[in-house]
Amino acid sequence: MAIRNVGVVGCGLMGSGIAQVSAQAGFPTVVREVSKPLLEKGLGAIRKFLQGGVDKGKLAAADMEKTLANLKGTTELQDLAGCDLVIEAVSESLELKRELFGALDGICRPETIVASNTSSLSITELSTFTKRAERVIGLHFFNPVPLMKLVEVVRTLRSDPAAVQEASEWCRAIGKTVVTVGDSTGFVVNRLLVPYMLDAIRVFEQGLASRDDIDNAMKLGCGYPMGPLLLGDYVGLDTTHSIAQIMFEEFREPRFASPPLLKRMVLAGRHGRKTGRGFYDWSTNPPS
Ligand code: CAA
């Protein structure tokens, strides 16, 4: 089955990006949020990004209009009934996802692929919340979704290879490069990235180097696009902490343990860019 109509659940940082790239590639896309204000916030972020593309000369104004015409926002899950692929991008709560996957299972056609953008929860466990385990996979996008070229396509022991292939073809159709990975907590990217970010926080916590020196060391010494502390702010320190907890729970290895400073920054509401303060102060000029 070729994927035509796409649904996205959640219009936050990741969901809005996924809905945008889907609509931009010409797929009629419905994106669902729980409330009108949250939906409007997500759609506003999409409009802002597209307008930024037009202003930078990266996107024709007509293509922005076409993208917006392909995009429909809703607060009703029922509006995803006609989708061939539904991608869930809600908060990393197993309980929330249990409820959502159960509801989607009742709403969507049996052949619809139900995918999760989770970065750390088990796709196999999510598949048990449905009666279509063979059509449940992971599609793990990266932030910022419109600019990052990778999608990790996650197969479980029960995933139908045809579903994996159909979803991979759709990812390529929206301009992404696919890597196929098994269902192990953190998949490939976070398995390697998260301990690196946590170690950078430990280096800072131990006073080995300043924030800027740590970030410059990795930026200029390794050619990374941004340093690990800035990346933490960018991803969200609350998200990083929560992924670390899930990975530690799974592997019980010290390298996945959240450093005490990270825990305290999260408790203090310093979640990075999204709250205006993390390792950097985002309230005035965004750091570069
Ligand atoms: N529309 C179209 N194109 C745009 C655009 C827009 N609104 N905004 C920017 N661009 C283009 C720019 O024109 C530029 O294109 P060229 O390379 O052709 O010149 C490109 O996108 C990069 O944009 P900028 O120059 O403005 O920004 P930058 O060079 O500082 O890069 C970045 C920004 C892409 C975020 C880069 O810093 C980066 O790659 N950082 C690392 C991000 C990362 O690691 N993400 C993964 C996080 S982990 C995760 O997501 C997984 C998880 O589960 C936690």
Side-chain angles (χ1 to χ4, degrees), residues 14 20 24 48-54 56 58-59 92 117-120 140-144 146-149 152 189-190 193-194 197 224-226 230-231 234-235 239-240 243:
M14 299 304 286
Q20 179 191 319
Q24 215 165 345
K48 191 172 165 203
F49 189 94
L50 293 171
Q51 189 57 54
V54 173
K56 286 185 169 85
K58 295 263 165 179
L59 183 71
E92 290 287 71
N117 179 56
T118 182
S119 44
S120 47
H140 184 217
F141 289 79
F142 296 85
N143 176 29
L147 302 185
M148 303 308 283
K149 295 186 172 62
E152 289 180 308
V189 172
N190 280 346
L193 180 67
V194 171
M197 290 167 73
Y224 289 2
M226 51 171 68
L230 180 58
L231 183 61
Y234 199 79
V235 168
T239 306
T240 306
I243 296 173

CSV table of all heavy atoms in Angstrom, one decimal, residues 14 20 24 48-54 56 58-59 92 117-120 140-144 146-149 152 189-190 193-194 197 224-226 230-231 234-235 239-240 243, ligand 1:
chain,number,residue,atom,x,y,z
A,14,MET,N,8.2,18.5,17.8
A,14,MET,CA,8.4,17.5,16.8
A,14,MET,C,7.2,17.3,15.9
A,14,MET,O,7.4,17.2,14.6
A,14,MET,CB,8.8,16.1,17.5
A,14,MET,CG,10.0,16.2,18.3
A,14,MET,SD,11.5,16.7,17.4
A,14,MET,CE,11.9,15.3,16.5
A,20,GLN,N,4.8,19.5,9.0
A,20,GLN,CA,5.2,20.4,8.0
A,20,GLN,C,5.9,19.7,6.8
A,20,GLN,O,5.6,19.9,5.6
A,20,GLN,CB,6.2,21.4,8.6
A,20,GLN,CG,6.8,22.4,7.6
A,20,GLN,CD,7.9,23.2,8.1
A,20,GLN,OE1,7.9,23.7,9.2
A,20,GLN,NE2,8.9,23.4,7.3
A,24,GLN,N,4.7,19.6,3.0
A,24,GLN,CA,5.6,20.3,2.1
A,24,GLN,C,5.9,19.3,0.9
A,24,GLN,O,6.2,19.8,-0.2
A,24,GLN,CB,6.9,20.7,2.8
A,24,GLN,CG,7.5,22.0,2.3
A,24,GLN,CD,8.5,22.5,3.3
A,24,GLN,OE1,8.6,22.1,4.5
A,24,GLN,NE2,9.3,23.4,2.9
A,48,LYS,N,5.7,30.2,10.7
A,48,LYS,CA,6.9,31.1,10.9
A,48,LYS,C,8.1,30.4,10.2
A,48,LYS,O,8.9,31.2,9.6
A,48,LYS,CB,7.1,31.1,12.4
A,48,LYS,CG,8.2,32.1,12.8
A,48,LYS,CD,8.2,32.3,14.3
A,48,LYS,CE,9.5,33.0,14.7
A,48,LYS,NZ,9.9,32.8,16.1
A,49,PHE,N,8.2,29.1,10.3
A,49,PHE,CA,9.4,28.4,9.7
A,49,PHE,C,9.3,28.6,8.2
A,49,PHE,O,10.3,28.9,7.5
A,49,PHE,CB,9.4,27.0,10.1
A,49,PHE,CG,10.7,26.3,9.6
A,49,PHE,CD1,11.8,26.2,10.5
A,49,PHE,CD2,10.9,25.8,8.3
A,49,PHE,CE1,13.0,25.6,10.1
A,49,PHE,CE2,12.0,25.2,7.9
A,49,PHE,CZ,13.1,25.1,8.8
A,50,LEU,N,8.1,28.4,7.6
A,50,LEU,CA,7.9,28.5,6.2
A,50,LEU,C,8.2,29.9,5.7
A,50,LEU,O,8.9,30.1,4.7
A,50,LEU,CB,6.5,28.1,5.7
A,50,LEU,CG,6.2,26.6,5.9
A,50,LEU,CD1,4.7,26.3,5.7
A,50,LEU,CD2,7.0,25.7,5.0
A,51,GLN,N,7.7,30.9,6.5
A,51,GLN,CA,8.0,32.3,6.1
A,51,GLN,C,9.4,32.6,6.2
A,51,GLN,O,10.0,33.3,5.3
A,51,GLN,CB,7.2,33.2,7.1
A,51,GLN,CG,7.2,34.7,6.7
A,51,GLN,CD,6.6,34.9,5.2
A,51,GLN,OE1,5.5,34.5,4.9
A,51,GLN,NE2,7.4,35.6,4.4
A,52,GLY,N,10.1,32.0,7.2
A,52,GLY,CA,11.6,32.2,7.3
A,52,GLY,C,12.3,31.7,6.0
A,52,GLY,O,13.2,32.2,5.5
A,53,GLY,N,11.8,30.5,5.5
A,53,GLY,CA,12.3,29.9,4.3
A,53,GLY,C,12.1,30.9,3.1
A,53,GLY,O,13.0,31.0,2.3
A,54,VAL,N,10.9,31.5,3.0
A,54,VAL,CA,10.6,32.4,1.9
A,54,VAL,C,11.6,33.6,2.0
A,54,VAL,O,12.2,34.0,1.1
A,54,VAL,CB,9.1,32.8,2.0
A,54,VAL,CG1,8.9,33.9,1.0
A,54,VAL,CG2,8.2,31.6,1.7
A,56,LYS,N,14.5,33.8,3.4
A,56,LYS,CA,15.9,33.4,3.1
A,56,LYS,C,16.0,33.1,1.6
A,56,LYS,O,17.2,32.7,1.2
A,56,LYS,CB,16.3,32.2,4.0
A,56,LYS,CG,16.5,32.5,5.4
A,56,LYS,CD,17.0,31.2,6.1
A,56,LYS,CE,17.5,31.5,7.5
A,56,LYS,NZ,16.5,31.5,8.6
A,58,LYS,N,14.8,30.4,0.3
A,58,LYS,CA,14.9,28.9,0.2
A,58,LYS,C,13.7,28.3,-0.3
A,58,LYS,O,13.6,27.1,-0.6
A,58,LYS,CB,15.2,28.3,1.6
A,58,LYS,CG,16.6,28.7,2.2
A,58,LYS,CD,17.6,27.7,1.9
A,58,LYS,CE,19.0,28.1,2.1
A,58,LYS,NZ,20.0,27.1,1.9
A,59,LEU,N,12.6,29.0,-0.2
A,59,LEU,CA,11.3,28.5,-0.5
A,59,LEU,C,10.5,29.5,-1.3
A,59,LEU,O,10.5,30.7,-0.9
A,59,LEU,CB,10.5,28.1,0.8
A,59,LEU,CG,9.2,27.5,0.8
A,59,LEU,CD1,9.3,26.0,0.3
A,59,LEU,CD2,8.5,27.5,2.1
A,92,GLU,N,6.4,12.1,26.1
A,92,GLU,CA,7.0,10.7,26.4
A,92,GLU,C,6.4,10.1,27.6
A,92,GLU,O,7.1,9.8,28.6
A,92,GLU,CB,8.5,10.8,26.5
A,92,GLU,CG,9.2,11.2,25.2
A,92,GLU,CD,9.3,10.0,24.2
A,92,GLU,OE1,8.2,9.7,23.7
A,92,GLU,OE2,10.3,9.5,24.0
A,117,ASN,N,7.0,8.5,17.2
A,117,ASN,CA,8.2,9.3,17.1
A,117,ASN,C,9.0,9.2,18.4
A,117,ASN,O,10.0,10.0,18.6
A,117,ASN,CB,7.9,10.8,16.7
A,117,ASN,CG,9.2,11.6,16.7
A,117,ASN,OD1,10.1,11.3,15.9
A,117,ASN,ND2,9.2,12.7,17.4
A,118,THR,N,8.6,8.3,19.3
A,118,THR,CA,9.3,8.3,20.6
A,118,THR,C,10.8,8.1,20.4
A,118,THR,O,11.3,7.5,19.5
A,118,THR,CB,8.8,7.1,21.4
A,118,THR,OG1,9.5,7.1,22.7
A,118,THR,CG2,9.0,5.7,20.8
A,119,SER,N,11.6,8.8,21.3
A,119,SER,CA,13.0,8.6,21.2
A,119,SER,C,13.5,7.6,22.2
A,119,SER,O,14.7,7.3,22.2
A,119,SER,CB,13.7,10.0,21.4
A,119,SER,OG,13.1,10.7,22.5
A,120,SER,N,12.7,7.1,23.1
A,120,SER,CA,13.3,6.2,24.1
A,120,SER,C,12.3,5.1,24.5
A,120,SER,O,12.8,4.1,25.1
A,120,SER,CB,13.7,7.0,25.3
A,120,SER,OG,12.7,7.9,25.7
A,140,HIS,N,11.6,7.8,14.0
A,140,HIS,CA,12.2,8.7,14.9
A,140,HIS,C,12.9,9.9,14.1
A,140,HIS,O,13.9,9.6,13.4
A,140,HIS,CB,13.2,8.0,15.8
A,140,HIS,CG,13.8,8.9,16.8
A,140,HIS,ND1,15.2,8.8,17.2
A,140,HIS,CD2,13.3,9.9,17.5
A,140,HIS,CE1,15.4,9.7,18.1
A,140,HIS,NE2,14.3,10.4,18.3
A,141,PHE,N,12.3,11.0,14.2
A,141,PHE,CA,12.8,12.2,13.5
A,141,PHE,C,13.7,13.0,14.5
A,141,PHE,O,13.7,12.8,15.7
A,141,PHE,CB,11.6,13.2,13.1
A,141,PHE,CG,10.8,12.6,12.0
A,141,PHE,CD1,9.8,11.6,12.3
A,141,PHE,CD2,10.9,13.1,10.7
A,141,PHE,CE1,9.0,11.2,11.2
A,141,PHE,CE2,10.1,12.6,9.7
A,141,PHE,CZ,9.2,11.7,9.9
A,142,PHE,N,14.4,14.0,13.9
A,142,PHE,CA,15.4,14.8,14.7
A,142,PHE,C,15.1,16.2,14.6
A,142,PHE,O,14.5,16.7,13.6
A,142,PHE,CB,16.8,14.4,14.2
A,142,PHE,CG,17.1,13.0,14.5
A,142,PHE,CD1,16.8,12.0,13.6
A,142,PHE,CD2,17.7,12.6,15.7
A,142,PHE,CE1,16.9,10.7,13.9
A,142,PHE,CE2,17.9,11.3,16.0
A,142,PHE,CZ,17.5,10.3,15.1
A,143,ASN,N,15.4,16.9,15.7
A,143,ASN,CA,15.1,18.3,15.8
A,143,ASN,C,16.2,19.2,15.4
A,143,ASN,O,17.4,19.0,15.8
A,143,ASN,CB,14.8,18.5,17.4
A,143,ASN,CG,14.6,19.9,17.7
A,143,ASN,OD1,14.0,20.7,17.0
A,143,ASN,ND2,14.9,20.3,19.0
A,144,PRO,N,16.0,20.2,14.5
A,144,PRO,CA,14.7,20.6,13.9
A,144,PRO,C,14.3,19.8,12.7
A,144,PRO,O,15.1,19.6,11.8
A,144,PRO,CB,15.0,22.1,13.5
A,144,PRO,CG,16.5,22.1,13.3
A,144,PRO,CD,17.1,21.1,14.2
A,146,PRO,N,12.5,19.9,10.0
A,146,PRO,CA,12.7,20.3,8.5
A,146,PRO,C,14.1,20.4,8.1
A,146,PRO,O,14.4,20.2,6.9
A,146,PRO,CB,12.0,21.7,8.5
A,146,PRO,CG,11.2,21.8,9.7
A,146,PRO,CD,11.9,21.0,10.8
A,147,LEU,N,15.1,20.5,9.0
A,147,LEU,CA,16.5,20.6,8.6
A,147,LEU,C,17.3,19.4,8.7
A,147,LEU,O,18.3,19.2,8.1
A,147,LEU,CB,17.2,21.8,9.3
A,147,LEU,CG,16.6,23.2,9.2
A,147,LEU,CD1,17.4,24.2,9.9
A,147,LEU,CD2,16.4,23.6,7.8
A,148,MET,N,16.9,18.5,9.7
A,148,MET,CA,17.7,17.3,9.9
A,148,MET,C,17.2,16.2,8.9
A,148,MET,O,16.1,15.9,8.8
A,148,MET,CB,17.5,16.8,11.4
A,148,MET,CG,17.9,17.9,12.4
A,148,MET,SD,19.5,18.6,12.2
A,148,MET,CE,20.5,17.3,12.8
A,149,LYS,N,18.2,15.6,8.3
A,149,LYS,CA,17.9,14.7,7.2
A,149,LYS,C,17.6,13.3,7.5
A,149,LYS,O,17.2,12.5,6.6
A,149,LYS,CB,19.1,14.8,6.2
A,149,LYS,CG,19.3,16.2,5.6
A,149,LYS,CD,20.4,16.2,4.5
A,149,LYS,CE,20.4,17.5,3.8
A,149,LYS,NZ,20.8,18.6,4.7
A,152,GLU,N,15.2,7.5,11.8
A,152,GLU,CA,15.4,6.1,12.2
A,152,GLU,C,14.1,5.4,12.1
A,152,GLU,O,13.1,5.8,12.7
A,152,GLU,CB,15.9,6.0,13.7
A,152,GLU,CG,17.3,6.6,13.9
A,152,GLU,CD,17.8,6.5,15.3
A,152,GLU,OE1,17.1,7.0,16.2
A,152,GLU,OE2,18.8,5.9,15.5
A,189,VAL,N,20.9,6.6,17.4
A,189,VAL,CA,21.4,8.0,17.6
A,189,VAL,C,21.4,8.3,19.1
A,189,VAL,O,22.5,8.7,19.6
A,189,VAL,CB,20.6,9.0,16.8
A,189,VAL,CG1,20.9,10.4,17.2
A,189,VAL,CG2,20.8,8.8,15.3
A,190,ASN,N,20.3,8.1,19.8
A,190,ASN,CA,20.3,8.5,21.2
A,190,ASN,C,21.2,7.5,22.1
A,190,ASN,O,21.7,7.9,23.1
A,190,ASN,CB,18.9,8.5,21.8
A,190,ASN,CG,18.2,9.8,21.4
A,190,ASN,OD1,18.9,10.8,21.0
A,190,ASN,ND2,16.9,9.9,21.6
A,193,LEU,N,24.3,9.5,21.4
A,193,LEU,CA,24.3,10.9,21.7
A,193,LEU,C,24.0,11.2,23.1
A,193,LEU,O,24.7,12.1,23.7
A,193,LEU,CB,23.2,11.5,20.8
A,193,LEU,CG,23.0,13.1,20.9
A,193,LEU,CD1,24.2,13.8,20.4
A,193,LEU,CD2,21.7,13.5,20.2
A,194,VAL,N,23.1,10.5,23.8
A,194,VAL,CA,22.7,10.9,25.1
A,194,VAL,C,23.9,10.7,26.1
A,194,VAL,O,24.1,11.7,26.9
A,194,VAL,CB,21.4,10.1,25.6
A,194,VAL,CG1,21.1,10.3,27.0
A,194,VAL,CG2,20.2,10.6,24.7
A,197,MET,N,26.1,13.7,25.7
A,197,MET,CA,25.5,15.0,26.3
A,197,MET,C,25.6,15.0,27.8
A,197,MET,O,25.9,16.0,28.5
A,197,MET,CB,24.1,15.2,25.8
A,197,MET,CG,24.0,15.5,24.3
A,197,MET,SD,22.3,15.4,23.7
A,197,MET,CE,21.6,16.8,24.5
A,224,TYR,N,31.5,19.5,15.2
A,224,TYR,CA,30.1,19.4,15.4
A,224,TYR,C,29.4,20.7,15.2
A,224,TYR,O,29.9,21.8,15.5
A,224,TYR,CB,29.8,18.9,16.8
A,224,TYR,CG,30.2,17.5,17.1
A,224,TYR,CD1,30.8,16.7,16.1
A,224,TYR,CD2,30.0,16.9,18.3
A,224,TYR,CE1,31.2,15.4,16.4
A,224,TYR,CE2,30.4,15.6,18.6
A,224,TYR,CZ,31.0,14.8,17.6
A,224,TYR,OH,31.4,13.5,17.9
A,225,PRO,N,28.1,20.7,14.7
A,225,PRO,CA,27.4,22.0,14.4
A,225,PRO,C,27.2,22.8,15.6
A,225,PRO,O,27.1,24.0,15.5
A,225,PRO,CB,26.1,21.5,13.7
A,225,PRO,CG,26.0,20.1,14.0
A,225,PRO,CD,27.3,19.5,14.3
A,226,MET,N,26.9,22.2,16.7
A,226,MET,CA,26.8,22.9,18.0
A,226,MET,C,27.4,22.1,19.1
A,226,MET,O,27.5,20.9,19.0
A,226,MET,CB,25.3,23.3,18.3
A,226,MET,CG,24.3,22.3,18.2
A,226,MET,SD,22.7,22.7,18.8
A,226,MET,CE,22.1,23.9,17.6
A,230,LEU,N,24.8,23.5,24.5
A,230,LEU,CA,23.8,24.2,23.6
A,230,LEU,C,22.8,23.2,23.0
A,230,LEU,O,21.6,23.5,23.0
A,230,LEU,CB,24.6,25.0,22.5
A,230,LEU,CG,23.7,25.8,21.6
A,230,LEU,CD1,22.9,26.9,22.4
A,230,LEU,CD2,24.5,26.5,20.5
A,231,LEU,N,23.3,22.1,22.6
A,231,LEU,CA,22.4,21.1,22.1
A,231,LEU,C,21.4,20.6,23.1
A,231,LEU,O,20.2,20.4,22.8
A,231,LEU,CB,23.2,19.9,21.5
A,231,LEU,CG,22.4,18.8,20.9
A,231,LEU,CD1,21.6,19.3,19.7
A,231,LEU,CD2,23.3,17.6,20.4
A,234,TYR,N,18.8,23.1,23.4
A,234,TYR,CA,18.0,23.0,22.2
A,234,TYR,C,17.0,21.9,22.1
A,234,TYR,O,15.9,22.1,21.8
A,234,TYR,CB,19.1,22.9,21.0
A,234,TYR,CG,18.6,23.3,19.7
A,234,TYR,CD1,18.5,24.6,19.3
A,234,TYR,CD2,18.2,22.3,18.8
A,234,TYR,CE1,18.0,25.0,18.0
A,234,TYR,CE2,17.7,22.7,17.5
A,234,TYR,CZ,17.6,24.0,17.2
A,234,TYR,OH,17.1,24.3,15.9
A,235,VAL,N,17.5,20.7,22.6
A,235,VAL,CA,16.6,19.5,22.6
A,235,VAL,C,15.6,19.7,23.8
A,235,VAL,O,14.5,19.3,23.7
A,235,VAL,CB,17.5,18.3,22.8
A,235,VAL,CG1,16.6,17.1,23.2
A,235,VAL,CG2,18.3,17.9,21.6
A,239,THR,N,13.6,17.0,28.4
A,239,THR,CA,13.5,15.8,27.5
A,239,THR,C,14.8,15.0,27.7
A,239,THR,O,14.7,13.8,27.8
A,239,THR,CB,13.4,16.4,26.1
A,239,THR,OG1,12.3,17.2,26.0
A,239,THR,CG2,13.2,15.2,25.1
A,240,THR,N,15.9,15.6,27.7
A,240,THR,CA,17.2,14.9,27.9
A,240,THR,C,17.2,14.1,29.2
A,240,THR,O,17.6,12.9,29.2
A,240,THR,CB,18.4,15.9,27.9
A,240,THR,OG1,18.3,16.7,26.7
A,240,THR,CG2,19.7,15.2,27.9
A,243,ILE,N,14.8,11.1,28.8
A,243,ILE,CA,15.4,10.0,28.0
A,243,ILE,C,16.4,9.3,28.8
A,243,ILE,O,16.5,8.1,28.8
A,243,ILE,CB,16.0,10.6,26.7
A,243,ILE,CG1,14.9,11.3,25.8
A,243,ILE,CG2,16.7,9.5,25.9
A,243,ILE,CD1,15.5,12.0,24.6
B,1,CAA,N1,13.5,27.3,5.7
B,1,CAA,C1,14.3,26.7,4.9
B,1,CAA,N2,15.6,26.5,5.1
B,1,CAA,C2,16.1,27.0,6.3
B,1,CAA,C3,15.3,27.7,7.2
B,1,CAA,C4,13.9,27.8,6.9
B,1,CAA,N3,13.1,28.5,7.7
B,1,CAA,N4,16.0,28.1,8.3
B,1,CAA,C5,17.3,27.7,8.0
B,1,CAA,N5,17.3,27.0,6.8
B,1,CAA,C6,18.5,26.5,6.1
B,1,CAA,C7,19.6,27.5,6.0
B,1,CAA,O1,19.4,28.4,4.9
B,1,CAA,C8,20.8,26.7,5.9
B,1,CAA,O2,20.9,26.2,4.6
B,1,CAA,P1,22.3,26.0,3.9
B,1,CAA,O3,23.1,25.0,4.7
B,1,CAA,O4,22.0,25.5,2.5
B,1,CAA,O5,23.0,27.4,3.9
B,1,CAA,C9,20.5,25.5,6.8
B,1,CAA,O6,19.1,25.4,6.9
B,1,CAA,C10,21.0,25.7,8.2
B,1,CAA,O7,20.4,26.9,8.8
B,1,CAA,P2,21.2,28.0,9.6
B,1,CAA,O8,22.4,28.4,8.8
B,1,CAA,O9,20.2,29.1,9.9
B,1,CAA,O10,21.5,27.4,10.9
B,1,CAA,P3,22.8,26.6,11.4
B,1,CAA,O11,23.8,26.5,10.3
B,1,CAA,O12,23.2,27.3,12.6
B,1,CAA,O13,22.3,25.2,11.7
B,1,CAA,C11,21.2,23.5,12.9
B,1,CAA,C12,21.2,25.0,12.6
B,1,CAA,C13,20.7,22.8,11.7
B,1,CAA,C14,20.1,23.4,14.0
B,1,CAA,C15,22.6,23.0,13.3
B,1,CAA,O14,23.1,23.8,14.4
B,1,CAA,C16,22.6,21.6,13.8
B,1,CAA,O15,22.6,20.7,13.0
B,1,CAA,N6,22.6,21.4,15.1
B,1,CAA,C17,22.6,20.1,15.7
B,1,CAA,C18,21.1,19.6,15.8
B,1,CAA,C19,21.0,18.2,16.3
B,1,CAA,O16,22.0,17.6,16.6
B,1,CAA,N7,19.8,17.8,16.3
B,1,CAA,C20,19.5,16.4,16.9
B,1,CAA,C21,19.0,16.6,18.2
B,1,CAA,S1,18.7,15.1,19.0
B,1,CAA,C22,17.2,14.7,18.5
B,1,CAA,O17,16.5,15.4,18.0
B,1,CAA,C23,16.8,13.3,18.9
B,1,CAA,C24,16.2,13.1,20.2
B,1,CAA,O18,15.4,12.2,20.3
B,1,CAA,C25,16.5,14.0,21.4
